């Protein structure tokens, strides 16, 4: 649950992670949940399959690339395939949010303006809480992915994760905005 | 398991005497312990398995049912310990 990477990494982790990442994007298309950034999960009102897949893949591979570059700076002797595998696998929990999206829908902007309390429905709050838990789980997996793949610990690991996530969030947001 | 550290003050122990079981001859002196003997037993076991697997981390990872980077990190930790003993 917290550190699967002591047992799985590399191509094996990538294969499983990639299937789940694509699956969560396809499910997200129908449950109207989009993964529009490395750390972003939002409800959408309309979503195309290309858009859902594009956002998920851009977010995933931006994280992989940024963490590979970070790994080259802070560590020596790591394999890029381990970062590729573990970082892709770290996005597996997002599948939960894609599934939960079936039980909640994004109200129309006009509905929100007319009745802002519509955002406080129990299902909407449940979705928000599950999403926060999923993001926390996702970040925890990213931390262990980096720790195992690059053999870094303590302050070095914390700084790498904070900067890496921040940079990949910005880049993924820009790419999604300009490419899709 | 060979004791390597003093149970009282935790300083590194030295070999004072060695005895022949055949003729009971005793050699006394103050000899350093071999570097590998200073490592914890689990690290020594790891090194033995590593040698048996011809130094293949890939084989080690399937034998120990651990991921490749985890096994490589275990080896890196042992290398760090050996380097610290060498100083």
């Amino acid at each position: 649950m917290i550190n699967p990477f002591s047992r799985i990494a590399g191509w094996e982790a990538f294969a499983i992670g990639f299937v789940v990442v694509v699956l969560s994007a396809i499910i997200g298309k129908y449950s109207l949940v989009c993964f529009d950034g490395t750390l972003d999960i939002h409800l959408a009102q309309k979503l195309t399959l290309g858009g859902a897949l594009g956002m998920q893949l851009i977010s995933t591979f931006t994280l992989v690339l940024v963490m590979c570059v970070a790994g080259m700076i802070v560590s020596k002797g790591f394999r890029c395939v381990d970062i590729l595998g573990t970082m892709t696998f770290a996005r597996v929990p997002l599948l939960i949010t894609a599934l939960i999206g079936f039980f909640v829908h994004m109200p129309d902007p006009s509905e929100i303006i007319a009745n802002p309390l519509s955002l406080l429905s129990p299902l909407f709050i449940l979705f928000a809480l599950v999403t926060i838990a999923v993001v926390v789980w996702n970040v925890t997996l990213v931390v262990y992915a980096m720790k195992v793949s690059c053999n870094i610990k303590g302050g070095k690991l914390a700084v790498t994760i904070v900067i890496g996530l921040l940079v990949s969030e910005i880049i993924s947001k820009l790419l999604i905005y300009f490419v899709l | 398991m060979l004791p390597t550290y003093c149970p009282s003050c935790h300083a590194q122990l030295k070999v004072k005497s060695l005895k022949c079981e055949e003729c009971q001859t005793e050699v006394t002196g103050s000899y350093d312990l071999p570097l590998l003997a200073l490592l914890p037993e689990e690290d020594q076991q790891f090194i033995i398995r590593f040698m048996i697997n011809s130094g293949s981390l890939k084989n080690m990872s399937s034998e120990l049912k651990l991921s490749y980077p985890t096994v490589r990190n275990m080896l890196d930790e042992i290398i760090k310990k050996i380097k610290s003993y060498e100083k």
Side-chain angles (χ1 to χ4, degrees):
Chain A
M1 290 280 280
I2 304 257
N3 183 16
F5 308 120
S6 60
R7 300 200 176 273
I8 187 168
W11 289 114
E12 196 184 354
F14 176 69
I16 297 169
F18 188 74
V19 168
V20 178
V21 156
V22 170
L23 199 66
S24 58
I26 295 168
I27 293 171
K29 182 249 180 281
Y30 295 103
S31 63
L32 296 176
V33 174
C34 61
F35 305 99
D36 52 339
T38 299
L39 291 174
D40 284 271
I41 303 168
H42 290 109
L43 286 170
Q45 288 193 320
K46 210 168 71 178
L47 204 55
T48 62
L49 185 60
L53 276 170
M55 281 190 256
Q56 178 68 298
L57 293 178
I58 286 174
S59 305
T60 304
F61 289 112
T62 305
L63 177 69
V64 170
L65 282 175
V66 169
M67 289 306 184
C68 268
V69 173
M72 283 172 199
I73 297 166
V74 298
S75 175
K76 49 185 176 185
F78 74 96
R79 301 189 310 172
C80 278
V81 69
D82 288 325
I83 292 198
L84 173 72
T86 54
M87 289 296 163
T88 310
F89 195 93
R91 291 180 71 80
V92 163
L94 302 185
L95 181 64
I96 297 168
T97 330
L99 290 168
I100 293 235
F102 283 114
F103 302 101
V104 63
H105 76 282
M106 184 68 182
D108 283 330
S110 56
E111 196 184 325
I112 298 170
I113 293 164
N115 179 21
L117 290 178
S118 63
L119 287 174
L120 292 176
S121 73
L123 277 175
F124 209 85
I125 292 169
L126 180 70
F127 177 80
L129 290 175
V130 170
T131 303
I132 290 167
V134 162
V135 170
V136 169
W137 188 9
N138 173 221
V139 171
T140 308
L141 288 176
V142 167
V143 171
Y144 279 101
M146 205 62 186
K147 187 179 177 182
V148 171
S149 300
C150 294
N151 198 16
I152 52 171
K153 298 172 198 164
K156 202 184 204 181
L157 176 65
V159 171
T160 308
I161 292 294
V162 170
I163 295 174
L165 282 176
L166 201 66
V167 171
S168 62
E169 172 70 8
I170 294 167
I171 295 174
S172 62
K173 277 286 189 192
L174 289 171
L175 282 173
I176 288 167
Y177 181 77
F178 287 111
V179 174
L180 297 177
Chain B
M1 180 69 188
L2 185 71
T4 53
Y5 290 95
C6 171
S8 172
C9 71
H10 304 290
Q12 205 174 91
L13 293 171
K14 291 211 167 197
V15 179
K16 186 183 173 190
S17 127
L18 292 145
K19 184 182 171 188
C20 172
E21 290 279 289
E22 292 293 315
C23 68
Q24 307 301 313
T25 299
E26 272 193 34
V27 181
T28 56
S30 181
Y31 305 105
D32 287 328
L33 282 163
L35 200 137
L36 289 177
L38 299 174
L39 291 169
E41 192 177 1
E42 70 227 35
D43 290 348
Q44 291 180 29
Q45 287 300 325
F46 183 94
I47 291 169
I48 291 166
R49 301 308 312 164
F50 188 58
M51 301 288 274
I52 289 169
N53 280 294
S54 309
S56 164
L57 288 175
K58 205 174 169 184
N59 289 354
M60 283 286 284
S61 69
S62 46
E63 185 181 305
L64 298 171
K65 293 186 171 56
L66 294 171
S67 68
Y68 179 95
T70 303
V71 176
R72 194 202 54 224
N73 294 346
M74 288 164 82
L75 181 65
D76 285 347
E77 292 306 315
I78 294 173
I79 291 169
K80 255 188 224 167
K81 280 182 199 167
I82 290 173
K83 281 183 177 168
S84 75
Y85 294 152
E86 277 180 340
K87 279 177 190 171

